[in-house]
Amino acid sequence: MIHHPKEIEVVKDIFKWSLDGTGAYSIAKKLNSDGVPTRYNKLDLTPVRKEVNTGKKYKNATKKWWGSTVSGILKKEIYKGIYVWGDERVKLPHLAILTEEEFDKVQENFKKNKKEGRGKKPSYKYLLNGLVFCKECGSMIRGVRKIKSRDNSYKCKGKAAPTYICKKSRAVNIPRFETFIIQHLFLSKNLQEYLNSIETNNDEIEVLQLKKSQKIKKINSQEKMVTRDYNLMRDPDLEYDTRLKDDYQNSKMKLSKLKDDLELIDKKLKEQLDNNRLNRVNNIIDGFDLKAGFESIQKSVYRLIERIDVMHQPLEKNGIFQFLITYKGFNEKSIWRSNQQLNEFTLVGYHKSFKELADSSENEIPDFYIPKAFQNYMNSSPGRKEYFQSVIDDLRNKPDSEVFKGTTHLEFGANLDVIKLDKNSLINFN
């Protein structure tokens, strides 16, 4: 930090505003309105955060200042000249940019604000936090419950401060969304039957093994880059070249990203090679007990679902929601559609991801899963298969087909599954 004069001025301003009584959220808002760049802006990197509930790492949709970022800066003792490493504290007065008295005054303000707060905030339970994402902007969708405003819904973080990047997403009612997921996973046996009908995809295993090999090569190359940048940064003749420190930080973050990617590939490969994945699914679903309590139910949901992507399509009156559910350990996904009232969910179809792999099976057209009930019908004549191909091509050219890239919805006149909800069937954990 000592070699970045502009960053030092920003930190000094943050402490000054805090001493003047400005809160962390207001400071972040001021920095964003003034166009002050974060370090991620300067390094042209995408911030990665760890989700509390699932432990998964995900890309943040914005590089803006957050109140939590400002709070973190205000609590760093390095700015008063003390370096903290585990339990060790080392005095480095030459790195201080404010006095100990000023730093301690800021910490007193934190305690004062906490005491003068309105008491402990009520704690609510959100079954799907960490699993749901907005297909419009890529932000995470999280539960929000406020008694005074009667807010009780999952909302896209991209619509909130400080980002405001999402324009089209709509809030999803919490009890209806959570009840639908529980019904789909555990109470309706259609999913269980479908997953048990899937054969091991050896082609995908080969693709994952190839990707793993390629990623390892990139990691080895990037490790050499990190070592090179580190050695350059330690050269006495280049000690004050601020660009070298930025290059070193950039190289380290790229290496960390590659290692995270490799970890994800290893996880997917392990799941594909797991011959017991169906046993896991069957044990979870067959052993489900609605009376087991929130924590037990949430754990079961996390063990079955990888993620849920949500989008809202406005119509002349109201609109429709679409949900793309990815199952943990499987390449297959389901596409559901619901009216805006969320009282009826219709399974449109299943799909496999063919972004890197096209299935050449005669009974499957790449990008589409054709339910078994319709396979014989489609193949009964060249004309019928040609007709369905024309339908697929037509759908691809429509804006709605861009909703879930790599997928297209097909309805065959008979619903694969329908889940209807009424007030008496809703499950409410709050």
Side-chain angles (χ1 to χ4, degrees):
M1 196 72 181
I2 194 65
H3 299 312
H4 294 267
K6 291 184 179 179
E7 288 186 10
I8 290 176
E9 291 305 314
V10 172
V11 173
K12 284 183 176 179
D13 286 340
I14 289 174
F15 275 95
K16 178 181 180 299
W17 295 329
S18 179
L19 287 169
D20 291 341
T22 307
Y25 173 83
S26 299
I27 292 175
K29 188 175 181 180
K30 177 174 176 56
L31 291 168
N32 288 324
S33 64
D34 291 346
V36 178
T38 64
R39 176 162 288 186
Y40 288 105
N41 289 116
K42 293 180 179 180
L43 298 178
D44 194 26
L45 297 173
T46 301
V48 176
R49 296 180 180 270
K50 190 173 184 179
E51 210 287 317
V52 176
N53 295 282
T54 63
K56 296 177 184 175
K57 294 180 180 179
Y58 68 96
K59 291 182 179 179
N60 199 356
T62 178
K63 300 175 184 179
K64 291 180 177 288
W65 289 91
W66 293 81
S68 58
T69 308
V70 173
S71 295
I73 289 174
L74 292 171
K75 292 177 182 178
K76 283 187 177 180
E77 294 188 60
I78 190 65
Y79 296 122
K80 68 171 182 177
I82 296 179
Y83 181 71
V84 180
W85 179 264
D87 296 330
E88 295 184 24
R89 295 162 59 83
V90 182
K91 286 191 174 183
L92 300 172
H94 63 287
L95 293 181
I97 62 174
L98 69 159
T99 66
E100 286 199 34
E101 291 75 17
E102 290 172 327
F103 182 88
D104 293 340
K105 180 71 183 298
V106 170
Q107 310 315 307
E108 288 175 12
N109 285 350
F110 274 121
K111 294 178 181 178
K112 183 180 178 182
N113 292 338
K114 191 173 183 180
K115 287 181 180 178
E116 293 180 352
R118 299 179 181 178
K120 186 179 179 181
K121 292 183 179 181
S123 177
Y124 299 112
K125 299 171 182 176
Y126 304 105
L127 184 70
L128 306 176
N129 268 1
L131 296 177
V132 190
F133 294 83
C134 174
K135 203 64 184 178
E136 171 65 26
C137 71
S139 301
M140 187 172 283
I141 294 177
R142 299 184 68 85
V144 178
R145 181 170 169 81
K146 297 178 182 178
I147 301 298
K148 286 189 176 181
S149 62
R150 296 184 180 182
D151 203 348
N152 190 27
S153 55
Y154 282 94
K155 291 186 172 182
C156 174
K157 293 186 70 176
K159 295 194 77 169
T163 57
Y164 302 111
I165 59 174
C166 193
K167 307 299 181 185
K168 297 182 180 179
S169 69
R170 292 290 297 268
V172 185
N173 179 267
I174 290 176
R176 291 187 177 276
F177 193 10
E178 294 180 349
T179 302
F180 155 63
I181 291 298
I182 289 174
Q183 293 245 16
H184 166 54
L185 293 181
F186 308 111
L187 305 184
S188 167
K189 297 300 179 183
N190 289 341
L191 173 65
Q192 187 175 13
E193 292 173 1
Y194 172 68
L195 294 179
N196 275 274
S197 69
I198 297 170
E199 297 180 358
T200 303
N201 192 335
N202 292 320
D203 289 335
E204 172 145 359
I205 291 173
E206 290 182 10
V207 170
L208 287 171
Q209 289 173 334
L210 177 61
K211 289 179 69 176
K212 179 178 179 178
S213 176
Q214 293 172 339
K215 197 67 66 175
I216 290 174
K217 289 181 180 179
K218 288 184 178 180
I219 288 174
N220 292 335
S221 175
Q222 190 62 34
E223 285 177 337
K224 293 178 181 178
M225 291 286 291
V226 170
T227 303
R228 185 207 67 177
D229 291 342
Y230 177 74
N231 290 333
L232 285 172
M233 192 173 63
R234 295 191 62 187
D235 188 331
D237 295 334
L238 302 172
E239 183 179 358
Y240 296 102
D241 191 334
T242 58
R243 293 173 300 175
L244 289 178
K245 187 173 182 180
D246 287 342
D247 288 345
Y248 175 62
Q249 293 293 337
N250 198 0
S251 294
K252 283 206 306 181
M253 296 185 79
K254 285 182 178 179
L255 179 60
S256 177
K257 171 68 169 57
L258 286 170
K259 289 182 175 179
D260 287 342
D261 291 344
L262 179 61
E263 184 180 338
L264 183 61
I265 293 171
D266 273 331
K267 181 181 177 182
K268 289 183 177 180
L269 188 57
K270 183 179 178 181
E271 289 172 345
Q272 287 294 327
L273 292 170
D274 183 8
N275 295 324
N276 296 317
R277 64 177 182 170
L278 290 179
N279 290 335
R280 171 179 60 85
V281 168
N282 292 328
N283 288 337
I284 295 171
I285 296 177
D286 292 338
F288 177 77
D289 182 2
L290 190 55
K291 298 179 182 179
F294 174 80
E295 287 75 16
S296 177
I297 294 173
Q298 187 180 55
K299 184 178 179 181
S300 296
V301 171
Y302 284 174
R303 292 179 66 191
L304 290 176
I305 290 182
E306 184 70 31
R307 66 182 284 151
I308 305 171
D309 291 282
V310 181
M311 68 84 61
H312 180 266
Q313 180 184 352
L315 302 175
E316 188 174 344
K317 290 185 178 180
N318 295 321
I320 59 173
F321 285 100
Q322 299 197 62
F323 305 89
L324 178 66
I325 303 176
T326 305
Y327 303 100
K328 187 165 287 187
F330 293 86
N331 196 38
E332 285 70 17
K333 309 177 184 187
S334 64
I335 304 171
W336 292 78
R337 181 176 294 171
S338 172
N339 55 14
Q340 187 147 310
Q341 291 71 33
L342 297 170
N343 53 27
E344 184 172 309
F345 295 78
T346 302
L347 175 61
V348 177
Y350 293 100
H351 110 283
K352 295 182 181 181
S353 176
F354 285 88
K355 291 180 180 178
E356 299 156 338
L357 176 69
D359 193 324
S360 59
S361 168
E362 291 183 359
N363 290 327
E364 291 188 20
I365 301 172
D367 297 348
F368 299 93
Y369 168 76
I370 309 301
K372 290 182 178 179
F374 299 98
Q375 289 179 2
N376 292 336
Y377 175 74
M378 284 187 61
N379 294 332
S380 61
S381 74
R384 283 200 180 98
K385 191 163 186 177
E386 182 180 354
Y387 166 74
F388 275 103
Q389 184 63 60
S390 68
V391 171
I392 291 169
D393 292 340
D394 181 55
L395 286 170
R396 278 177 171 155
N397 293 325
K398 291 182 178 180
D400 188 42
S401 67
E402 295 294 321
V403 170
F404 299 116
K405 292 182 180 179
T407 75
T408 300
H409 328 322
L410 290 184
E411 296 189 47
F412 296 90
N415 294 324
L416 300 175
D417 193 8
V418 176
I419 294 177
K420 296 182 179 182
L421 305 178
D422 56 40
K423 290 184 178 180
N424 296 326
S425 66
L426 297 182
I427 300 168
N428 196 331
F429 293 106
N430 293 301

